[in-house]
Amino acid sequence: MAARRLARGRLTVSFECLRQPREHVEHWLIPKLQTRDRSMSDTLPTIGHWIDGKNVLGEHRSQEVFDPATGKAEKRVLLADLETVKAAVDSAQKAYPAWRATPPLKRARVMMKLRHLLEANAEKVAGLLTEEHGKVFGDAMGEVQRGIENVEYAACAPELLKGEHSRNVGPDIDGWSELQPLGVTAGITPFNFPAMVPLWMWPMAVACGNTFVLKPSERDPSSALFVAQLAVEAGLPPGVLNVVNGDKEAVDALIDDPRVHALSFVGSTPIAEYIYARGCEKGKRVQALGGAKNHAVVMPDADIDNAVSALMGAAYGSCGERCMAIPLVVAVGDDTADAVVKGLRAQIAEMKVGPGKDANNDMGPLITKAHREKVLGYVQQGVDEGATLVVDGRDLKVAGHEDGFFMGPCLFDHVKPSMVIYQEEIFGPVLGVVRVSSLEEAMKLIDDHEYGNGTCIFTRDGEAARYFSDHILVGMVGINVPLPVPVAYHSFGGWKRSIFGDLHAYGPDAARFYTKRKQITQRWPSAGVREGAKFSFPSTK
């Protein structure tokens, strides 16, 4: 049956597939869509937007969505214009009064239902991640599970929203605080965690009584739209969560719309700084998480074999496309460095690189051809600057996937702080080893770097570990843990130029970010008692 479409200006709401069973129906994906955009191939399924609980199409600009393992375009995503973003905010604004008035426990029950639906559809979501991002399926399943844990925590909103109460703060006067929602809120999320990072944001936002407009990465948008569909199935009213795909035009529209009261962002530092500055100028509450250059310190007394194994996953997992990846090892002493490089070289030789759908592979492709070229450029720059390229993965070819965006793991030794590969975030499978003579020297390197997202230390010395964790100028610290990503009931965030804003992501800080405190002081005078005017400032004395 052909899709019936209801025109609303330039927008089109598609009702195709609505008669099918709700489970596994991909409302956001319309096969072989014809539009007036003549550059759009009618052989590619098209991804639209999710507004007011419906799939929304339109005559927008568009771009291709690739399978990184094959290098072929498999879908096309529409890029929202100003009108589309306005429609999403309109929907969120319209839904807000009723959702704000919904008891917190009922909002929490939606989150509990969503959790069960996500668990039932975890493999489906992970498959979308593998198809569009390229990460191996096991890694994708781990991302989905971390996202589910944030939904679980959002279900605790009734407890988190309880205010404080004090009786008799003055004669017959009571005082209390309430945590009230902000209104329409928005999130802008990156390509590297297309399922998890949105779940850092909108579940807590809506559990606190806000409505939400999500702009996921246009490089891998399908998982965010599928989860939005599951949220409606879980009982989330239409308009409480809206998803618009797009680029800078959509981002700026969200920033500039006065009805959007808060923005959360995860991505690169230049964009984070831009969104924070522009959002604050517009009077919005903003948290913007930026880039990272995480150092792992390996002490001479460390369990080198276990440290090397931990570093392998931290450096090359998800092809290094993680803001908590470890791209730098700071080895204390030449003997330590030699042992670490030897161990890494041996384990790299055993790595399997290939399509993420193959469960036997350890590492998949990079997200796009352009990003692969950028990472390859960094490797060449490291060679040109004099670092020793111990393992060169630039010429890797995966049989049957020669056009995929693959490169092998690379390992540098003798990296210096003056080198670009030390200073800048590469976001690829490139690990560098820096040699220092003491823990103090290692810590100075970390403290002097502009980023302060995460770091870790490998040691058996409790005194050294305690000193390191207490004094290092970094927001998230691991002790014999290479990826110190906090669990859902703690908050995530770095220091320095890795974050802009006072509150971190998810956990307790999320409840604070998505609410505003109201203090109420109440007094009921006794009937029939007349009191004279008092001109002194009120106090309890």
Side-chain angles (χ1 to χ4, degrees):
M1 175 180 172
R4 295 188 294 121
R5 292 191 287 270
L6 175 64
R8 295 180 180 175
R10 290 178 57 204
L11 298 179
T12 305
V13 180
S14 172
F15 295 94
E16 185 170 21
C17 302
L18 290 183
R19 292 188 178 183
Q20 300 182 34
R22 297 186 73 178
E23 58 271 18
H24 308 300
V25 178
E26 299 172 1
H27 295 273
W28 80 90
L29 191 59
I30 306 300
K32 299 182 181 180
L33 175 73
Q34 297 278 3
T35 78
R36 294 181 187 176
D37 181 355
R38 300 195 177 200
S39 67
M40 179 182 290
S41 169
D42 62 3
T43 64
L44 292 179
T46 298
I47 302 167
H49 318 284
W50 188 260
I51 299 174
D52 209 32
K54 306 178 187 71
N55 185 66
V56 173
L57 306 174
E59 299 165 14
H60 313 317
R61 295 173 299 117
S62 64
Q63 72 176 47
E64 294 170 325
V65 177
F66 289 85
D67 179 345
T70 64
K72 296 180 180 178
E74 300 291 346
K75 306 167 190 173
R76 190 176 291 273
V77 61
L78 301 179
L79 303 178
D81 58 9
L82 295 176
E83 185 179 348
T84 306
V85 175
K86 180 180 181 299
V89 179
D90 287 345
S91 176
Q93 182 73 19
K94 181 180 178 181
Y96 174 63
W99 184 244
R100 180 189 190 276
T102 301
L105 185 56
K106 289 188 177 181
R107 301 196 298 251
R109 286 172 181 157
V110 174
M111 294 299 103
M112 290 187 275
K113 180 69 180 297
L114 176 60
R115 172 209 165 189
H116 293 305
L117 288 172
L118 284 169
E119 288 177 337
N121 290 277
E123 291 188 2
K124 169 70 175 178
V125 178
L128 292 171
L129 304 184
T130 297
E131 289 173 9
E132 295 181 354
H133 175 274
K135 63 179 65 180
V136 296
F137 186 77
D139 186 30
M141 285 292 288
E143 173 183 345
V144 175
Q145 179 56 39
R146 275 301 188 104
I148 291 172
E149 290 168 8
N150 281 277
V151 175
E152 286 180 324
Y153 188 69
C156 300
E159 174 68 22
L160 299 170
L161 293 175
K162 290 195 306 187
E164 302 153 340
H165 184 274
S166 295
R167 182 173 174 80
N168 282 340
V169 297
D172 298 321
I173 298 174
D174 302 327
W176 70 88
S177 63
E178 297 178 0
L179 297 175
Q180 297 188 347
L182 305 174
V184 179
T185 57
I188 302 159
T189 57
F191 74 81
N192 59 325
F193 287 104
M196 182 183 73
V197 174
L199 293 174
W200 283 7
M201 298 178 186
W202 72 259
M204 182 59 78
V206 303
C208 289
N210 303 282
T211 54
F212 202 89
V213 180
L214 171 67
K215 196 219 78 74
S217 172
E218 64 277 18
R219 299 179 189 177
D220 43 13
S222 291
S223 61
L225 287 157
F226 180 59
V227 173
Q229 175 186 319
L230 293 180
V232 172
E233 187 174 342
L236 198 69
V240 175
L241 172 64
N242 302 276
V243 183
V244 292
N245 290 301
D247 50 14
K248 186 177 183 296
E249 182 176 348
V251 171
D252 287 346
L254 287 171
I255 297 173
D256 293 343
D257 195 312
R259 297 170 297 172
V260 177
H261 295 284
L263 284 164
S264 185
F265 170 81
V266 176
S268 68
T269 286
I271 305 302
E273 192 168 27
Y274 166 78
I275 288 173
Y276 182 75
R278 184 162 174 165
C280 290
E281 182 183 355
K282 301 291 182 179
K284 302 183 190 299
R285 180 177 292 183
V286 184
Q287 61 173 190
L289 281 66
K293 195 71 174 182
N294 307 318
H295 300 64
V297 177
V298 182
M299 298 293 288
D301 68 330
D303 182 333
I304 297 296
D305 290 340
N306 283 330
V308 166
S309 294
L311 290 169
M312 286 291 296
Y316 303 119
S318 198
C319 213
E321 294 171 321
R322 294 171 175 161
C323 66
M324 287 296 283
I326 294 292
L328 292 171
V329 176
V330 185
V332 179
D334 284 334
D335 291 343
T336 305
D338 290 343
V340 168
V341 170
K342 179 181 178 181
L344 289 169
R345 188 171 187 172
Q347 290 205 30
I348 289 172
E350 298 176 359
M351 280 185 66
K352 296 179 180 178
V353 181
K357 296 177 182 179
D358 186 341
N360 294 316
N361 289 327
D362 301 307
M363 191 175 84
L366 290 158
I367 182 71
T368 63
K369 181 178 180 180
H371 187 56
R372 179 179 179 273
E373 294 302 316
K374 181 179 179 181
V375 175
L376 292 174
Y378 273 116
V379 176
Q380 184 58 51
Q381 191 160 12
V383 173
D384 294 342
E385 289 181 320
T388 303
L389 187 56
V390 178
V391 178
D392 187 351
R394 289 177 290 179
D395 295 328
L396 175 79
K397 297 295 182 184
V398 177
H401 293 78
E402 288 79 7
D403 293 328
F405 310 137
F406 291 97
M407 67 175 287
C410 295
L411 175 64
F412 279 104
D413 194 5
H414 302 288
V415 174
K416 305 297 182 184
S418 60
M419 297 178 178
V420 171
I421 61 169
Y422 175 88
Q423 297 167 354
E424 297 185 10
E425 184 176 34
I426 298 175
F427 226 58
V430 182
L431 178 60
V433 177
V434 183
R435 296 172 178 242
V436 298
S437 59
S438 67
L439 175 60
E440 291 74 18
E441 186 180 351
M443 291 177 66
K444 187 175 188 309
L445 284 178
I446 298 169
D447 289 347
D448 286 347
H449 203 283
E450 66 171 325
Y451 295 131
N453 207 46
T455 188
C456 63
I457 185 171
F458 291 92
T459 182
R460 290 191 179 97
D461 187 334
E463 182 182 4
R466 191 171 190 273
Y467 182 84
F468 180 82
S469 62
D470 190 32
H471 292 280
I472 201 71
L473 301 179
V474 174
M476 292 172 283
V477 181
I479 299 170
N480 299 316
V481 175
L483 295 174
V485 180
V487 293
Y489 44 91
H490 289 270
S491 295
F492 177 105
W495 287 9
K496 296 183 283 189
R497 287 179 57 77
S498 290
I499 192 169
F500 299 87
D502 296 327
L503 292 170
H504 288 186
Y506 70 79
D509 271 15
R512 299 183 184 102
F513 181 76
Y514 290 115
T515 59
K516 53 190 173 185
R517 181 181 295 271
K518 178 180 286 185
Q519 188 68 33
I520 301 169
T521 304
Q522 173 179 275
R523 176 172 181 257
W524 295 102
S526 299
V529 177
R530 176 159 185 177
E531 299 176 348
K534 297 179 181 178
F535 298 98
S536 60
F537 193 80
S539 72
T540 58
K541 187 172 181 179

